[in-house]
């Protein structure tokens, strides 16, 4: 089994309508670097943001967080730094994030 076989993605999604507050620039330039600084030491390998090209109700943003393995996810989300990551959400949106672990088909 290779190291790539152990990697796990977590998608963090924000669902709403186009008029909901979501500061894309802050999310990409400030929040995601904060996430990387906080959780890289626990096994976060990368975080990428994706936005729909059309403005309609539904998913406004998706972040794919790639972790080394399942243990890295648990370590990151239960770390002391998790509180500061979650506290930063109000800086770019009023929406509540939803997390889902994904696996390749």
């Amino acid at each position: 089994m290779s190291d790539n076989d152990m990697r796990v993605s977590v998608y963090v999604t924000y669902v709403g309508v186009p008029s909901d507050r979501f500061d894309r620039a802050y999310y990409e330039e400030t929040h995601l670097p904060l996430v990387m600084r906080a959780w890289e030491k626990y096994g976060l390998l990368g975080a990428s943001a994706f936005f729909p090209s059309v403005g309609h109700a539904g998913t406004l943003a998706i972040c794919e967080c790639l972790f080394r393995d399942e243990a890295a996810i648990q370590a990151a989300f239960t770390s002391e730094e998790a509180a500061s990551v979650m506290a930063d959400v109000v800086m770019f949106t009023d929406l509540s994030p939803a997390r889902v672990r994904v696996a390749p088909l």
Side-chain angles (χ1 to χ4, degrees), residues 2-104:
S2 74
D3 286 344
N4 287 344
D5 294 335
M6 303 292 291
R7 293 181 181 174
V8 182
S9 289
V10 172
Y11 286 177
V12 180
T13 59
Y14 297 85
V15 175
V17 297
S19 60
D20 286 330
R21 181 177 71 88
F22 194 97
D23 185 337
R24 290 181 177 190
Y26 184 93
Y27 189 64
E28 290 183 301
E29 297 165 13
T30 304
H31 185 71
L32 292 187
L34 168 70
V35 169
M36 284 303 304
R37 282 191 309 276
W39 292 343
E40 188 172 29
K41 64 183 166 189
Y42 298 107
L44 177 62
L45 303 174
S48 301
F50 302 92
F51 305 102
S53 60
V54 211
H56 57 79
T59 302
L60 300 181
I62 298 172
C63 177
E64 179 182 37
C65 295
L66 181 61
F67 287 91
R68 180 183 60 239
D69 53 28
E70 291 282 347
I73 294 171
Q74 293 303 315
F77 282 101
T78 59
S79 69
E80 287 183 23
E81 295 86 351
S84 63
V85 169
M86 299 310 165
D88 191 56
V89 171
V90 298
M91 300 301 293
F92 60 88
T93 190
D94 300 319
L95 300 170
S96 295
R99 293 188 310 235
V100 64
R101 181 204 175 281
V102 296

